[in-house]
Amino acid sequence: MAVDPRWPVALLRGAVPVALGLLLWVAMAGGEQDRQQALKEQPGADAASLSQRRRHNELIMAALREAAETDDNVAQRRVPWRK
């Protein structure tokens, strides 16, 4: 039983893109720890800034929730929103 000479070429053509993708993935994943450390060291990553940003996001979500629940045009309200 003879092996068709086109099989090794076909396997090589299929393996090259897979190997290239694997090498690129390994190269990108290798810097993940450095990226995580750099994100931790950015300004604004301290506890006070994070809690302030969290509170700001809560206020925005509350305003969006109120706007979704009412038929009034909340865009025309004055800044100190009151129910």
Side-chain angles (χ1 to χ4, degrees):
M1 181 167 179
V3 176
D4 191 2
R6 293 180 293 180
W7 271 103
V9 175
L11 287 175
L12 184 65
R13 285 184 179 171
V16 167
V18 172
L20 182 62
L22 182 62
L23 286 174
L24 288 174
W25 181 77
V26 167
M28 296 301 293
E32 182 67 19
Q33 291 176 347
D34 296 335
R35 189 180 72 82
Q36 291 290 334
Q37 186 64 28
L39 286 175
K40 288 179 184 177
E41 294 171 356
Q42 280 187 338
D46 57 307
S49 296
L50 289 175
S51 66
Q52 182 180 7
R53 193 175 316 137
R54 194 172 293 122
R55 175 70 179 140
H56 183 259
N57 288 342
E58 288 172 2
L59 291 173
I60 290 174
M61 290 305 295
L64 289 173
R65 196 174 301 115
E66 180 184 354
E69 291 172 353
T70 184
D71 290 333
D72 297 338
N73 187 354
V74 296
Q76 300 298 324
R77 291 187 185 174
R78 296 178 84 59
V79 173
W81 289 12
R82 293 203 166 57
K83 289 185 178 180

